[in-house]
Structure formats: C-alpha cells, structure tokens
Amino acid sequence: MATSGMLQEDALKGKTIIISGGGTGLGKAMGKYCLQLGANLIITSRKMDVLTESAKELEGETGGKVLAVACDIRNYEQIEQVIKHGEDKFGRIDAVLNNAAGNFISPTERLSHRAFDIVVDIVLRGTYNFTLAAGKNWIAKKQQGNFLNIVTTYAWTGSGYVVPSACAKAGVLALTRSLAVEWAKYGIRSNAIAPGPFPTEGAWSRLLPGELVKKFDPALRVPLKRVGEHQELANLAAYLLSDYSGYINGEVVTIDGGEWLMGAGEFSNLEEVKPEMWDMLENMRKK
Ligand code: HXC
Ligand code: NAP
C-alpha cells in the first residue's frame, strides 16, 4: 500500500481551496496534502478552537498558509462570510471541498423528526448552501471553479441504520451530477468521492461506539481486508482538485477496497466456503 504523496510537488500551487470540516479527520488529512502541493487552505466548521489548533498544526507541518473561519454550514450567510474572508486573504477561491457531515447510527423508528433533520441539514443543506454561494460567486466573477463532494457508497445503495445520512448523501450525489452538466458552461466542474471505511475519531465514535468496533470490524467487510489509509484518499482528492483531472466532470470515484460490491454480489459470500468443500463439490461435478 502506498502511503506517500503521488502528485508532483507544485500540483496545486497558487490554488486556494476551502474545506468544510477541514479541522478534523479526513478533511484535515486532505487539507494537509493540498498544502504540501502548494495550495492555500481555508478550513471551516463550527468549533473555532479545533480549527485554530489544526490550522497551526498544518502550517507548522507544511509551511503553507491556512485561514480558519468558524461557520455552521446550515447557515447561508455564514458561508458567504467564509468566502469573503477567503477572498480578502488570498484574492480568489479556486475550489470547494464539501466534506463536513453529521451522522449517527439508530433504528429509523427510534429517530425523532429533529434527529432526522439534524443530519440532513448538515449533509445536504450544508452542501447545497456552500455550492450555491460559491457557484454564484464564481459565475458573477466569470471565474472557473471546482467542487469536490465527499459522499459514501450507500449514497446509491441506501443503508439501514444511517437512513438520514443515506438520504442526504444521495441528494449530494444528485447535486454533483446535475451541476456537472448545468455549470460546465461556466468552467465549473463537480465531482464526488465515495470513501469506504477510513478510521477517524468523528466517524468511529458515532458509527462504531463502544464494543461495536470489535464486533463489526469494518476491515472484515472489505475484500482487501483492510481499512483505507488517509493518504490514499488525499492522493485521490488532490488529483480531482488539480488541473490534471480537468476532463473529469460528474464522476463519483469509489475508494473502498471493493467493499460495496462485496455486499452487492449475489455469491460473494461464498468466500466462506473452505477449500475442502470446493474439493468435494469438484469431485461431485466430475462424477
Ligand atoms: C438517535 C439521536 C442520536 C442517536 C442524537 N440524536 N444522537 N437520536 N440516536 N445516536 C437526536 C437527539 O435526540 C435530538 O433529537 C437530535 O438528534 C439532535 O441532538 P443533539 O443532541 O442536538 O445533537 P448531537 O448529538 O449533539 O449532535 C448530533 C450531530 C453530531 C450534530 C450529528 O454527532 C455531530 O456534531 N456530528 C458531526 C461529526 C460527525 O457526525 N462525523 C461523522 C461523519 S461520518 P430530539 O428529538 O431529542 O431533540 C460519516 C461516515 C459514513 O458520515 C460512512 C462510514 C463508512
Ligand atoms: P469528522 O472528523 O467527524 O468530520 C466531520 C466534520 O464536519 C467535522 O470537522 C465537523 O466539525 C464538521 N461539521 C459537522 N457539522 C457541521 C456544521 N453544521 N457546519 C460546519 N461543519 C460541520 O468525520 P470524517 O470521518 O473525517 O468524515 C469526513 C467526511 O467523510 C464526511 O462527509 C463523511 O460522511 C465522509 N465519510 C467518512 C468515512 C469514514 O470512514 N471516515 C466514510 C465515508 C464517508 P465541527 O464539529 O467543528 O462543526
């Protein structure tokens, strides 16, 4: 497995990228690699203390420039302020990485309508808010732009026990594909990444709390029998944010070690059949 950066040194030089949820987990990992490739970064989420700490750490590790701005992406006006602060500091915004999310596991019948709202509002409303604010700004300024949206593989399969998240991520995928066509005429690309399991504090503490992580080891559901490395996702994200992917538009790239197809294939669970059993079946067939 490759855990080093794959793009050439200055692949994102001069680009300014906003990452929602960029102070933690996967957003932070993708942001770090963007900085290493020469980008300026704007990280935003609700917790200013987390953002400030991460910005300091990222600048120290990479020598790049990071602007931290607090914002609840459910609030359109706050997003407009993030864009304004970003332009004041760096001159222009080149890309938005819609990464922030909220999620928890629960049988759907146990959810209150407020619980459903809270996840859909962060994931879907937050993403279309950012998309609309940045898109209008780029179109008005006749500037090219690039959206990269983080979804999940259950955006198209659906999934029990995370139903608000599944509904919202499906909406984000539809948004990605719709605008890839509609806004291409303005030079705005829209793509998505669907990650499989990549350990982060945020996801693991909410989706595999307590003993669940031992009982439902996510690596065992993956044909490659391992979880993802953050750098593997960062490599893909940086490529999609760079001009090297300039002809990719409207795509969703899955990076899950084959996990979702494993669940989809009718006979994939025959993996459990032992070699002796295959020998027996072969002998029966030959007879
Ligand atoms: C049922 C729940 C609940 C749970 C909260 N609620 N947790 N219901 N089961 N586990 C209900 C509450 O009762 C309340 O409804 C409503 O949701 C809002 O509750 P709050 O207490 O206000 O919310 P809180 O629990 O503080 O925060 C929820 C959240 C939080 C905003 C979603 O978890 C958060 O900040 N998340 C951001 C980070 C995150 O989730 N990262 C993981 C992304 S991972 P009532 O009716 O009582 O008011 C991901 C990966 C997917 O998406 C794929 C993995 C392979
Ligand atoms: P994470 O660290 O919990 O990231 C979620 C981020 O969203 C946090 O930084 C959080 O910061 C921010 N956020 C939440 N609500 C917000 C709001 N209302 N306004 C602004 N920011 C908000 O989890 P992660 O695992 O890195 O997840 C990152 C992305 O990857 C998500 O889109 C997730 O669905 C996706 N994903 C993850 C996995 C995985 O295995 N980890 C798999 C598939 C997809 P604040 O709390 O400070 O607001």
Side-chain angles (χ1 to χ4, degrees), residues 20-27 30 44-48 50-51 71-74 98-103 122-123 150-154 165 169 194-204 206-207 233:
S20 68
T24 65
L26 302 183
M30 292 186 281
T44 188
S45 77
R46 294 164 300 178
K47 300 188 192 97
M48 193 59 204
V50 174
L51 291 174
C71 154
D72 187 328
I73 56 170
R74 291 169 290 188
N98 280 305
N99 163 80
N103 203 356
I122 298 170
V123 176
I150 305 300
V151 295
T152 60
T153 54
Y154 59 63
S165 171
K169 293 286 192 183
F198 282 78
T200 63
E201 165 68 26
W204 258 228
R206 292 179 177 90
L207 303 176
L233 177 67

Side-chain angles (χ1 to χ4, degrees), residues 232-243:
E232 293 177 306
L233 177 67
N235 282 338
L236 175 59
Y239 168 64
L240 291 171
L241 289 165
S242 77
D243 295 336

Side-chain angles (χ1 to χ4, degrees), residues 10-153:
D10 57 355
L12 295 174
K13 196 169 176 59
K15 289 200 187 295
T16 298
I17 300 167
I18 300 180
I19 305 186
S20 68
T24 65
L26 302 183
K28 188 175 171 189
M30 292 186 281
K32 180 177 171 186
Y33 189 42
C34 291
L35 287 164
Q36 287 169 336
L37 294 172
N40 303 314
L41 209 63
I42 299 156
I43 55 174
T44 188
S45 77
R46 294 164 300 178
K47 300 188 192 97
M48 193 59 204
D49 52 333
V50 174
L51 291 174
T52 309
E53 188 59 33
S54 294
K56 218 168 74 185
E57 192 185 317
L58 289 170
E59 284 190 336
E61 283 172 348
T62 66
K65 291 196 191 108
V66 185
L67 175 67
V69 191
C71 154
D72 187 328
I73 56 170
R74 291 169 290 188
N75 183 313
Y76 190 84
E77 285 72 36
Q78 289 184 22
I79 290 175
E80 289 183 311
Q81 283 306 307
V82 175
I83 293 171
K84 186 175 176 318
H85 285 313
E87 287 183 334
D88 288 348
K89 183 166 171 78
F90 297 119
R92 56 179 275 156
I93 311 294
D94 297 282
V96 173
L97 176 41
N98 280 305
N99 163 80
N103 203 356
F104 43 71
I105 48 165
S106 173
T108 308
E109 69 277 14
R110 288 179 180 236
L111 292 173
S112 70
H113 63 88
R114 282 178 296 273
F116 216 113
D117 283 346
I118 199 166
V119 172
V120 172
D121 279 353
I122 298 170
V123 176
L124 182 54
R125 186 191 299 271
T127 304
Y128 71 67
N129 274 347
F130 233 124
T131 304
L132 204 55
K136 279 171 183 279
N137 185 47
W138 283 328
I139 292 164
K141 293 184 169 143
K142 298 192 171 16
Q143 241 179 265
Q144 297 198 334
N146 192 355
F147 288 112
L148 181 57
N149 301 328
I150 305 300
V151 295
T152 60
T153 54

Side-chain angles (χ1 to χ4, degrees), residues 181-261:
V181 174
E182 191 183 331
W183 283 357
K185 60 179 174 286
Y186 301 119
I188 298 173
R189 292 193 288 135
S190 298
N191 289 296
I193 295 177
F198 282 78
T200 63
E201 165 68 26
W204 258 228
S205 65
R206 292 179 177 90
L207 303 176
L208 294 163
E211 291 293 297
L212 281 191
V213 72
K214 285 186 205 137
K215 206 159 177 207
F216 299 99
D217 179 359
L220 299 178
R221 290 177 33 82
V222 179
L224 289 175
K225 295 289 176 254
R226 68 172 176 87
V227 293
E229 288 284 333
H230 287 197
Q231 186 63 43
E232 293 177 306
L233 177 67
N235 282 338
L236 175 59
Y239 168 64
L240 291 171
L241 289 165
S242 77
D243 295 336
Y244 294 107
S245 63
Y247 202 50
I248 299 183
N249 186 29
E251 187 55 86
V252 52
V253 183
T254 299
I255 176 164
D256 74 342
E259 183 193 34
W260 87 268
L261 279 170

